[in-house]
Amino acid sequence: MSSTAGLVIPCTAAVAWEAGKPLVMERVEVAPPQAMEVRIKIKYTSLCHTDLYFWEAKGQTPLFPRIFGHEASGIVESVGEGVEGLEVGDHVLPVFTGECGDCAHCKSEESNMCDLLRINTDRGVMLSDGKTRFSINGTPINHFLGTSTFSEYTVIHSGCLAKINPLAPLDIVCILSCGISTGLGATLNVAKPKKGSSVAIFGLGAVGLAAAEGARISGASRIIGVDRNPKRFEEARKFGVNEFVNPKDHDKPVQEVIAEMTNGGADRSIECTGNINAMISAFECVHDGWGVAVLVGVPNKDAVFMTKPINVLNERTLKGTFFGNYKPRTDLPSVVEMYMNKKLEVEKFITHRVPFSEINKAFDYMTRGEGLRCIVSMEE
Ligand code: NAD
Ligand code: ZN
């Protein structure tokens, strides 16, 4: 047992008090884990676009004050009642969606949409008692995605933690806890391109490039990157993207440009932008008869997907996925092993590193579209 088990831990967290305003480093109190919960010492965290969306809160339900962060790695500090399979000192990756192990989804081979622990962007409290584990002088601070990793310590439901190989470097595999596994799984588990096929990737951020990495591993021969930011193209070459389309360079819809390039449409497309128009283009750019489009980006909450039904009748398939269809506890450890066995390249996604005190810089990089992943180190 650790010396802090059962006690409130005072520590530093980056708190978002208002939408779009820089995070403020605050002393927060982190309550001990309750039944089925685990308290984690976060070692490294990074920023994913989903944090940025909910921090900006433009097309989303605002909930403040809140501690964001869901892509991270850490070490178990203490466990609550009833927790099985996790002990003090275990190395873990928190995940924004969980696996209770008992529900119909967890028992299905096809789904990772756990009834109990699936992603919930509007909840700011823990499931067991509807309360937060963070407070500042008695004021509760909301959780985000059940993970809130922008804090030296955090409390997470045990079903949202993957226990990983203790030899895996936490400052690298932290990005497997969301973005990279999401993009990789969207290709390998959902789009499933055949060897020699063409794959269009919309959005060349870390998630899109991880989808490209999946296409490379699958042996796709044409990997077509679509992005409005031309700065992305140079970087994307390293990920096997071999053709580029910037929608801004064309006066016709990008789906028509891709149909012309591919003799009728791409075999697969994976949308990783969150932009509703890109989602529609990603669907309409796949070949009739066999094309499959996979939506990954998180849209504005009021966005509506519109296409002519004939596009579906013509034997195109539209799919969507959270976390690349990986079950977090069961499957994530094997994604870490793919990295350990050098099948999956992870280092090339890491373009920046900052100490925790400079976490706002990670937001600046992402807002400016610079680089892919910025690792925030909790120990200065
Ligand atoms: P990012 O900001 O690094 O990359 C997004 C890219 O999309 C940028 O390069 C941007 O220029 C490009 N883009 C935006 N609008 C576009 C358009 N209309 N056409 C072409 N390109 C466009 O973000 P990221 O961290 O790679 O995340 C990508 C998306 O995936 C986000 O929406 C994020 O919320 C979502 N996401 C989903 C899941 C899931 O489980 N479904 C998990 C993680 C992230
Ligand atoms: Zn479940």
Side-chain angles (χ1 to χ4, degrees):
M1 228 171 66
S2 61
S3 59
T4 43
L7 304 174
V8 167
I9 298 184
C11 70
T12 303
V15 178
W17 290 98
E18 270 181 80
K21 295 275 158 61
L23 307 186
V24 183
M25 303 310 276
E26 302 275 9
R27 290 301 282 174
V28 298
E29 302 205 309
V30 185
Q34 300 301 305
M36 300 310 286
E37 296 172 358
V38 177
R39 192 162 53 185
I40 306 294
K41 182 173 173 48
I42 296 292
K43 297 293 285 180
Y44 298 91
T45 184
S46 49
L47 180 63
C48 158
H49 214 133
T50 313
D51 296 301
L52 197 80
Y53 276 171
F54 284 85
W55 166 73
E56 288 178 333
K58 282 181 190 153
Q60 312 292 353
T61 314
L63 186 61
F64 294 93
R66 202 169 200 186
I67 297 175
F68 286 102
H70 63 285
E71 201 173 86
S73 58
I75 297 179
V76 173
E77 174 271 337
S78 62
V79 302
E81 214 184 291
V83 172
E84 281 173 21
L86 284 170
E87 288 171 16
V88 176
D90 281 345
H91 288 202
V92 289
L93 301 183
V95 184
F96 63 84
T97 189
E99 184 181 351
C100 76
D102 290 329
C103 72
H105 289 273
C106 286
K107 288 190 170 141
S108 155
E109 268 178 31
E110 294 175 305
S111 174
N112 68 343
M113 296 293 292
C114 174
D115 273 333
L116 183 71
L117 300 169
R118 73 170 61 173
I119 182 170
N120 182 328
T121 56
D122 295 338
R123 188 169 55 223
V125 293
M126 296 306 284
L127 273 177
S128 67
D129 57 1
K131 291 186 181 150
T132 72
R133 302 286 171 265
F134 298 109
S135 60
I136 298 179
N137 301 325
T139 303
I141 309 293
N142 288 292
H143 293 248
F144 177 61
L145 301 183
T147 49
S148 292
T149 59
F150 296 164
S151 175
E152 289 174 318
Y153 286 87
T154 186
V155 176
I156 299 177
H157 193 285
S158 54
C160 299
L161 288 167
K163 177 174 165 174
I164 60 159
N165 184 342
L167 299 175
L170 294 178
D171 65 328
I172 293 170
V173 297
C174 61
I175 58 173
L176 297 178
S177 116
C178 174
I180 308 309
S181 301
T182 293
L184 184 75
T187 306
L188 297 182
N189 302 333
V190 189
K192 299 182 183 163
K194 296 198 170 86
K195 203 163 185 282
S197 61
S198 57
V199 180
I201 313 266
F202 284 69
L204 301 175
V207 176
L209 292 176
E213 181 77 358
R216 180 186 70 79
I217 294 170
S218 306
S221 56
R222 296 182 69 180
I223 308 179
I224 304 165
V226 183
D227 204 299
R228 289 189 306 204
N229 175 359
K231 279 195 274 180
R232 293 288 191 201
F233 295 155
E234 212 37 61
E235 204 142 40
R237 280 182 208 287
K238 292 184 219 151
F239 295 79
V241 180
N242 46 28
E243 292 170 66
F244 297 97
V245 178
N246 185 340
K248 287 197 214 154
D249 295 345
H250 301 272
D251 45 23
K252 57 182 146 192
V254 64
Q255 49 272 49
E256 286 178 26
V257 177
I258 292 174
E260 280 169 20
M261 287 167 71
T262 53
N263 202 14
D267 298 315
R268 299 288 186 266
S269 78
I270 299 144
E271 177 283 327
C272 308
T273 69
N275 177 289
I276 185 65
N277 296 318
M279 293 181 183
I280 294 166
S281 302
F283 173 61
E284 294 183 354
C285 87
V286 295
H287 208 289
D288 56 2
W290 60 78
V292 179
V294 179
L295 305 187
V296 178
V298 177
N300 181 305
K301 72 174 170 28
D302 298 321
V304 177
F305 187 98
M306 283 212 281
T307 192
K308 292 185 179 144
I310 192 69
N311 293 328
V312 189
L313 293 174
N314 285 343
E315 303 182 359
R316 292 184 184 87
T317 304
L318 178 64
K319 292 185 166 194
T321 175
F322 274 113
F323 200 52
N325 264 50
Y326 287 118
K327 282 187 162 73
R329 283 160 63 191
T330 306
D331 301 330
L332 195 49
S334 66
V335 179
V336 171
E337 291 315 306
M338 269 176 88
Y339 164 72
M340 297 300 276
N341 300 332
K342 301 193 168 30
K343 247 209 219 148
L344 169 67
E345 296 171 14
V346 181
E347 282 91 344
K348 62 188 179 187
F349 288 94
I350 301 170
T351 50
H352 297 83
R353 287 185 182 271
V354 293
F356 190 32
S357 57
E358 293 175 22
I359 188 167
N360 285 304
K361 277 193 185 163
F363 280 76
D364 294 342
Y365 295 138
M366 187 161 271
T367 331
R368 292 202 299 261
E370 269 176 40
L372 295 171
R373 277 300 189 259
C374 177
I375 308 287
V376 179
S377 162
M378 304 311 278
E379 270 147 47
E380 305 272 314

